[in-house]
């Protein structure tokens, strides 16, 4: 078939020209390509000697010889320099192939084929460069034709996909890639061929023959044109980026793991509740790390057993399996109804049989809240025993294909097990995932163990706190008392609030409310120590301000176990301390904060209905008198206990019959949402009707005030004033003379007979006579005798002397010195206290209950001699 050579053919590149030489050695014919090559038209060349026309002068003699040889019929091929006429410089180098010919008359002539050597060299260079790029490239190089079949591929391409280079000619993309990827590449080739727009970094995934796994390639495609610009195919350069993908995936996994750990740090452990902490762990893990997850904690941990933590997970004989665990949390990102992660857990009575379950006998995953065991040979039991994560085989019929059983280890103690599972379609767990799962479980375990330790401390502090509070509703002479104590909830540490009701001599009563600054077990211990100190000081019958001053010294001594001031260095100088001593002082500084406390101390006398208050930085008492609005008593607050350096002041208030006195802690009137002033106003308004039953008043206060119960402990002590009736008091003043002893006996007898206390007359006369005699002998000034009848009979003898009575053992030859021994034997209690103008010696007798009074034993009588 005849066809014209398309533009841009090989002949355009090599620039082949021709001309002919006649028998006379002159040019007869001159082609257009020769005109283009030599830059001379045919009319300028035809009829001329080619040697004279093209050759330099120095080459002409030899050139004429060559022309002669050619005309004699000899073929010749050679390189011939040529010049363009009119220009003396050599312009080029031509390769000429001379073929002898004959004219029609039989004369010899020649046909000359001329090629520009420069064009040949350029083509050779281009071919060499193309071959170097194509053959020596470390990247896969492939050339697709316009029909998208492989026209040419380099050796690197053949190395990846197998076979020799020539074996790939004619193949299509479907021979290398999966159908989906092949369709995507074909569509891209069509677009590049149609538009001419290059495509860079086209990501392809495939599996080369014999390769162990999938590979990733980045491919650049561009359209290839002929010299005339006609598209002749598409060139592709493929780079294997599998390692880059692996590195990118690992980097993304590392970023995800760091993000998960960061989220875990922020979200796990915000609660001190064990179950809540387990749910927080699953909120972080699902779905960011896995598709399903569950948490089991040891039953002994949840029930708060005081046994060693190692006993929770103790394994018995080999057939017994794991210790009892409870499923406390479960989460799924797929469906709540999907089957469980680990088969083989046994619940309820099934655990009694021991051993592993029979094949096919799984009862399914434990239900949320159920108690179960894992069979001894199961991966979960192995993880609990070893403290290391274990792989759990997936169920080929199920949807879970990868599970990690990770023990929750805190401080070398296993507290439970968390299981992470991934469903089919998700990437199975790898080593990085195992490390992350272990870290997540460890963080949750530490939080759970901290919650366990906190709960144990909280319960101990609560027990200690309850044991130190007055049992039931305390009783006191001349007072109707009701109290309420509301501890903080389980999320709040135990505080140091306390209240107390202490009976004092003379039917007086001390009312105490205090609050240790700080929380937790140490605060509860500090509260107990201060409460004990208050009771001890109260029994000394000191004035309220003196009690607080002594209590302040006690608080400072508790905060500074060494006692007193410590000098620095050697000999009190400013030298360096021993390291252990410095650490000890640091611990002392911590303790001193715990033993700061506020306290209000009040002493009520039912005879006079007067109450004396002293305050150490506490909230002021509230008094509500009948028909009057409740008011805050103006008691100077003073400094908190443990600060020291400031004296405490006393305020004495006479209270009306039926008045209501309230002592309380700040948890009742102060919260985060309400300032103290608002709380105090609301408290006073809640006491608007103090005539109601006292228990109802307490309940009304707690239900009316927005106490935000749980944020802080609340202590409320309320007392309604009920003074002793006038006929329950006998009060006489006696002159300082001997006959006052007989007069005191007469007055006591008459008063007891009027109270129908005949059984106490003899004992009372004897003891009154002893106390009045001592007042005359050792005391000063006027003598006062007072009898008080309430729940017991109290006798008080007052004088102006300051010397306190002291019991002593009389010698056998002594005629006296046994009076106080007799008082101690015959009375239920006795003692002495200072008064503003002297002292008071008192004794107390129990009221008769119809039973005869016990007689003194011989040993008791002989103890006086």
């Amino acid at each position: 078939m005849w066809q014209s050579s398309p533009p841009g053919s090989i002949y355009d590149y090599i620039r082949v020209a021709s001309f002919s030489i006649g028998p006379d050695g002159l040019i007869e014919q001159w082609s257009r390509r020769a005109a283009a090559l030599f830059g001379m038209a045919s009319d300028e060349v035809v009829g001329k000697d080619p040697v004279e026309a093209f050759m330099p002068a120095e080459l002409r003699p030899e050139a004429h010889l060559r022309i002669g040889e050619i005309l004699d019929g000899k073929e010749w091929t050679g390189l011939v320099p040529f010049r363009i006429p009119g220009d003396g410089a050599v312009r080029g180098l031509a390769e000429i192939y001379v073929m002898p010919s004959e004219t029609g008359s039989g004369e010899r002539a020649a046909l000359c084929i001329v090629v520009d050597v420069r064009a040949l060299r350029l083509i050779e260079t281009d071919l060499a460069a193309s071959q170097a790029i194509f053959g020596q490239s470390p990247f896969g190089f492939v050339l697709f034709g316009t029909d998208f079949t492989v026209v040419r591929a380099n050796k690197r391409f053949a190395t990846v996909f197998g076979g020799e280079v020539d074996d790939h000619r004619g193949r299509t993309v479907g021979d290398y890639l999966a159908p989906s990827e092949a369709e995507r590449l074909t569509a891209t080739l069509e677009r590049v061929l149609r538009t001419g727009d290059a495509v860079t970094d086209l990501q392809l995934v495939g599996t080369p023959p014999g390769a162990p796994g999938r590979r990733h390639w980045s491919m650049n495609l561009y359209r290839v044109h002929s010299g005339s610009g006609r598209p002749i195919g598409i060139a592709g350069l493929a780079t294997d980026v599998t390692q880059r993908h692996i590195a990118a995936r690992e980097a993304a996994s590392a970023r995800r793991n760091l993000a998960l750990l960061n989220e875990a740090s922020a979200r796990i452990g915000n609660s001190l509740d064990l179950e809540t902490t387990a749910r927080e762990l699953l909120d972080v893990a699902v779905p960011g790390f896995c598709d399903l997850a569950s948490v089991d904690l040891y039953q002994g941990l949840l029930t708060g057993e005081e046994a060693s933590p190692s006993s929770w997970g103790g394994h018995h004989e080999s057939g017994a399996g794991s210790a009892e665990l409870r499923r406390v949390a479960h989460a799924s990102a797929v469906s709540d109804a999907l089957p469980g992660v680990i088969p083989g857990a046994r619940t309820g009575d099934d655990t009694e049989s021991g051993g592993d379950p029979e094949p096919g006998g799984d009862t399914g995953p434990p239900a949320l809240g159920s108690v179960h065991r894992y069979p001894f040979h199961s991966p979960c039991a192995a993880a609990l025993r070893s403290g290391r994560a274990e792989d759990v085989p997936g169920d080929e019929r199920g949807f879970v294909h990868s599970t990690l059983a990770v023990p929750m280890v805190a401080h070398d103690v296993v507290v439970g097990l968390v299981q992470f599972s991934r469903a089919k379609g998700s990437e199975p767990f790898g080593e990085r995932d195992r490390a992350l799962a272990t870290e997540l479980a460890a963080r949750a375990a530490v939080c759970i163990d901290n919650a366990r330790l906190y709960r144990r401390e909280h319960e101990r502090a609560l027990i200690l706190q309850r044991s130190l509070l007055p049992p039931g509703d305390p009783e006191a002479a001349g007072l109707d008392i009701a109290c309420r104590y509301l501890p903080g909830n389980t999320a709040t540490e135990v505080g140091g609030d306390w209240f107390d009701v202490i009976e004092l001599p003379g039917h007086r009563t001390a009312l105490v409310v205090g609050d240790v600054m700080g929380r937790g077990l140490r605060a509860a211990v500090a509260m107990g120590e201060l409460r004990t100190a208050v009771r001890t000081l109260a029994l000394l019958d000191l004035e309220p301000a003196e009690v607080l001053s002594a209590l302040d010294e006690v608080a400072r001594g508790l905060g500074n176990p060494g006692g007193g001031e410590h000098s620095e260095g050697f000999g009190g100088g400013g030298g360096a301390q021993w390291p252990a001593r410095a650490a000890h002082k640091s611990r002392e500084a911590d303790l001193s904060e715990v033993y700061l406390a506020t306290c209000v101390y009040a002493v009520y006398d039912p005879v006079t209905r007067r109450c004396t208050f002293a305050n150490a930085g506490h909230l002021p008492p509230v008094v509500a008198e009948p028909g009057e609005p409740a008011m805050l008593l103006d008691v100077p607050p003073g400094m908190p206990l443990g600060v020291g350096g400031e004296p405490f002041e006393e305020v004495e208030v006479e209270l009306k019959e039926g008045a209501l006195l309230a002592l309380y802690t700040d948890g009742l009137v102060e919260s985060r949402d309400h300032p103290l002033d608002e709380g105090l106003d609301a408290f006073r308004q809640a006491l608007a009707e103090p005539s109601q039953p006292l228990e109802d008043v307490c309940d009304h206060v707690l239900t009316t005030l927005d106490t935000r119960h749980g944020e802080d402990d609340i202590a409320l002590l309320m007392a309604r004033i009920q003074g002793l009736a006038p006929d329950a008091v006998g009060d006489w003043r006696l002159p300082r003379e001997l006959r006052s002893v007989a007069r005191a006996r007469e007055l006591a007898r008459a008063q007891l007979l009027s109270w129908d206390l005949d059984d106490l007359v003899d004992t009372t006369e004897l003891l009154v006579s002893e106390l009045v005699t001592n007042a005359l002998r050792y005391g000063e000034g006027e003598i006062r005798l007072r009898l008080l009848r309430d729940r017991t009979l109290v006798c008080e003898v007052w004088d102006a002397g300051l010397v306190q009575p002291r019991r002593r053992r009389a010698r056998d030859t002594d005629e006296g010195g046994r009076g106080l021994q007799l008082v101690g034997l015959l009375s239920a209690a006795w003692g002495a206290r200072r008064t503003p103008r002297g002292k008071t010696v008192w004794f107390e007798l129990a009221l008769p209950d119809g039973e005869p009074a016990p007689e003194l034993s011989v040993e008791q009588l002989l103890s006086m001699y």
Side-chain angles (χ1 to χ4, degrees):
M1 179 180 293
W2 292 92
Q3 65 178 12
S4 60
S5 177
S9 67
I10 187 62
Y11 302 104
D12 290 334
Y13 288 102
I14 62 177
R15 301 177 68 181
V16 177
S18 65
F19 64 92
S20 64
I21 301 175
D24 55 1
L26 303 179
I27 296 174
E28 286 186 341
Q29 294 179 338
W30 187 255
S31 69
R32 292 181 179 179
R33 284 186 177 271
L37 177 63
F38 294 103
M40 301 175 66
S42 60
D43 57 353
E44 298 178 84
V45 177
V46 174
K48 292 185 178 182
D49 184 350
V51 175
E52 298 294 333
F54 306 119
M55 299 297 292
E58 66 273 11
L59 298 178
R60 289 174 186 174
E62 184 179 355
H64 283 295
L65 293 176
R66 294 294 181 185
I67 292 296
E69 292 176 354
I70 292 171
L71 294 177
D72 287 339
K74 185 178 180 180
E75 289 188 2
W76 181 82
T77 301
L79 295 178
V80 178
F82 67 90
R83 64 177 179 82
I84 297 176
D87 190 351
V90 177
R91 297 293 303 275
L93 186 65
E95 183 175 288
I96 300 179
Y97 175 49
V98 181
M99 295 177 292
S101 62
E102 291 183 358
T103 63
S105 59
E107 293 179 309
R108 292 183 178 180
L111 177 63
C112 299
I113 305 298
V114 183
V115 177
D116 188 349
V117 174
R118 294 174 302 172
L120 289 176
R121 298 295 180 266
L122 289 174
I123 292 174
E124 291 174 353
T125 302
D126 289 345
L127 288 175
S130 175
Q131 182 62 34
I133 294 174
F134 222 85
Q136 301 174 21
S137 172
F139 309 110
F141 211 108
V142 62
L143 180 62
F144 295 98
T146 55
D147 58 352
F148 309 131
T149 60
V150 176
V151 175
R152 186 178 179 185
N154 68 349
K155 188 175 182 179
R156 176 61 181 169
F157 186 87
T159 301
V160 173
F161 289 99
E164 298 297 329
V165 171
D166 294 338
D167 297 338
H168 292 275
R169 288 194 178 96
R171 290 186 179 181
T172 64
V173 295
D175 297 325
Y176 304 103
L177 301 174
S180 59
E181 289 290 276
E183 291 177 4
R184 192 162 65 90
L185 178 56
T186 301
T188 305
L189 291 173
E190 292 175 349
R191 186 173 71 253
V192 172
L193 184 62
R194 184 180 67 255
T195 64
D197 296 333
V199 172
T200 59
D201 198 22
L202 174 65
Q203 298 293 315
L204 298 173
V205 179
T207 304
R214 295 190 305 173
R215 309 295 293 178
H216 294 261
W217 296 285
S218 172
M219 197 163 192
N220 298 326
L221 300 171
Y222 59 93
R223 192 170 67 182
V224 180
H225 306 85
S226 66
S228 63
R230 179 177 61 88
I232 61 173
I234 302 165
L237 181 66
T239 305
D240 191 331
V241 293
T242 304
Q243 293 301 321
R244 189 172 72 187
H245 271 263
I246 294 175
R249 186 168 65 247
E250 291 181 350
S253 176
R255 288 193 297 270
R256 182 199 65 184
N257 293 353
L258 289 175
L260 275 173
L261 291 177
N262 182 60
E263 184 180 5
S265 299
R267 297 180 61 181
I268 299 177
N270 294 321
S271 170
L272 290 172
D273 180 73
L274 302 179
E275 290 83 354
T276 301
T277 302
R279 289 193 295 270
E280 290 171 347
L281 168 62
L282 300 193
D283 290 342
V284 172
V286 179
F289 177 67
C290 61
D291 299 317
L292 301 96
S294 62
V295 176
D296 300 322
L297 298 180
Y298 279 119
Q299 181 71 353
L301 170 71
L302 295 169
T303 55
E305 293 180 3
E306 289 295 330
S308 171
S310 60
S311 65
W312 300 331
H315 295 271
H316 309 291
E317 60 276 5
S318 62
S322 69
E324 288 187 339
L325 299 106
R326 185 191 303 172
R327 177 63 53 87
V328 297
H330 176 79
S332 171
V334 184
S335 171
D336 292 336
L338 288 174
V341 178
I342 304 298
R346 296 169 296 180
T347 59
D349 296 336
D350 295 339
T351 60
E352 299 299 327
S353 60
D356 293 341
E358 295 297 328
D362 297 337
T363 59
L368 189 64
S370 65
V371 178
H372 62 278
R373 296 176 185 266
Y374 287 111
F376 183 83
H377 296 293
S378 67
C380 294
L384 290 170
R385 287 194 301 271
S386 65
R388 296 187 298 270
E390 297 285 343
D391 291 312
V392 180
D395 185 1
E396 295 183 358
R397 296 170 298 173
F399 76 105
V400 172
H401 75 107
S402 184
T403 297
L404 285 176
V406 186
M408 306 177 73
V409 183
H411 309 115
D412 296 328
V413 175
V414 178
V415 299
L417 183 77
V418 57
Q419 299 177 65
F420 303 103
S421 297
R422 287 180 178 173
K424 291 182 177 179
S426 299
E427 187 175 350
F429 291 113
E431 287 303 317
R432 288 179 179 269
D433 296 321
R434 179 186 292 266
L436 177 61
T438 302
E439 178 65 21
L440 288 174
R443 294 194 179 200
V446 170
C447 295
I448 287 174
D449 194 53
N450 289 341
R452 175 187 68 85
L453 295 175
Y454 166 78
R455 185 179 64 181
R456 184 180 66 180
E457 178 177 325
H458 185 274
E459 290 175 351
R460 290 178 177 178
L462 207 57
I463 293 172
L464 175 62
Q465 195 177 45
R466 297 291 188 278
S467 67
L468 295 175
L469 295 174
D473 290 331
E475 296 181 355
L479 292 175
D480 181 14
I481 297 177
C483 53
R484 294 289 186 274
Y485 187 83
L486 302 179
N489 57 30
T490 55
T492 306
E493 290 187 90
V494 171
D497 295 13
W498 91 91
F499 68 92
D500 208 347
V501 178
I502 307 170
E503 293 187 48
L504 300 178
H507 288 310
R508 293 171 305 127
T509 303
L511 304 175
V512 189
V513 170
D515 185 1
V516 175
M517 297 181 186
R519 310 195 66 80
L521 183 61
R522 291 168 63 186
V525 171
M527 177 268 283
E529 293 175 320
L530 291 177
R531 178 180 179 270
T532 302
V534 170
R535 278 191 159 266
T536 302
L537 294 170
L539 294 179
L540 296 177
D541 213 353
L542 304 176
E543 296 297 323
E546 294 178 325
V547 170
L548 292 187
S549 295
L551 192 62
D552 178 65
E553 293 292 335
V554 172
R556 284 192 287 168
L558 294 175
N560 184 10
E565 298 293 332
H566 295 284
S567 60
E568 302 290 340
F570 293 101
Q577 300 180 20
W578 292 99
R581 182 184 178 94
H584 179 67
K585 290 179 69 64
S586 176
R587 291 193 298 271
E588 292 178 358
D590 293 339
L591 286 173
S592 64
E593 295 183 4
V594 175
Y595 286 105
L596 290 176
T598 63
C599 179
V600 61
Y601 184 89
V603 176
Y604 172 69
D605 188 343
V607 178
T608 61
R609 293 199 314 276
R610 301 186 71 82
C611 191
T612 305
F613 297 92
N615 191 351
H618 202 79
L619 295 174
V622 176
V623 173
E625 296 184 342
E628 299 291 338
M631 64 176 181
L632 300 175
L633 289 180
D634 186 13
V635 180
M639 298 299 291
L641 301 174
V643 175
E646 294 291 335
F648 297 98
E649 300 182 38
E650 293 181 359
V651 172
E652 189 177 58
V653 179
E654 183 175 351
L655 303 174
K656 295 182 179 179
E657 186 77 18
L660 196 62
L661 173 64
L663 306 178
Y664 52 94
T665 56
D666 55 0
L668 180 69
V669 295
E670 187 176 21
S671 69
R672 298 177 181 177
D673 300 328
H674 299 284
L676 180 60
D677 292 342
E678 292 183 8
L680 291 174
D681 291 340
F683 184 30
R684 291 191 295 109
Q685 294 173 9
L687 298 177
E689 298 182 10
S691 59
Q692 295 180 351
L694 200 55
E695 295 291 337
D696 295 343
V697 175
C698 287
D699 293 337
H700 177 70
V701 168
L702 294 178
T703 55
T704 302
L705 269 63
D706 184 12
T707 60
R708 297 296 176 113
H709 174 49
E711 291 184 359
D712 196 2
D713 293 353
I714 296 174
L716 174 62
L717 177 62
M718 305 189 75
R720 176 168 285 123
I721 303 304
Q722 296 174 348
L724 292 180
D727 60 357
V729 179
D731 194 353
W732 306 276
R733 296 182 182 276
L734 303 172
R736 191 170 186 78
E737 53 189 31
L738 291 177
R739 61 180 182 177
S740 293
V741 176
R743 177 60 178 164
R745 293 167 61 91
E746 294 174 2
L747 293 173
R749 170 182 287 274
Q751 186 66 65
L752 264 62
L753 292 176
S754 68
W755 287 340
D756 296 327
L757 297 177
D758 302 26
D759 294 342
L760 300 181
V761 170
D762 293 339
T763 303
T764 303
E765 279 189 298
L766 176 58
L767 299 184
V768 164
S769 121
E770 290 292 338
L771 294 187
V772 173
T773 299
N774 281 346
L776 288 173
R777 181 177 299 177
Y778 305 109
E780 299 177 6
E782 187 180 37
I783 299 172
R784 182 180 177 186
L785 172 66
R786 188 167 74 169
L787 295 178
L788 307 176
R789 185 197 66 186
D790 191 70
R791 291 173 297 149
T792 60
L793 175 67
V794 174
C795 174
E796 298 177 329
V797 176
W798 304 24
D799 69 75
L802 298 178
V803 178
Q804 296 287 319
R806 179 174 59 86
R807 287 182 61 176
R808 62 183 179 86
R809 178 173 296 277
R811 293 188 296 271
D812 295 344
T813 57
D814 290 343
E815 296 181 359
R818 299 177 179 86
L820 292 181
Q821 288 181 281
L822 186 63
V823 173
L825 286 173
L826 298 179
S827 66
W830 77 280
R833 68 178 186 273
R834 291 182 298 168
T835 63
R837 291 178 295 275
K839 68 176 181 296
T840 300
V841 183
W842 57 272
F843 66 84
E844 182 177 340
L845 297 176
L847 298 181
D849 54 3
E851 297 293 332
E855 296 183 358
L856 295 177
S857 64
V858 175
E859 289 78 6
Q860 290 175 322
L861 292 174
L862 291 177
S863 66
M864 294 186 294
Y865 298 96

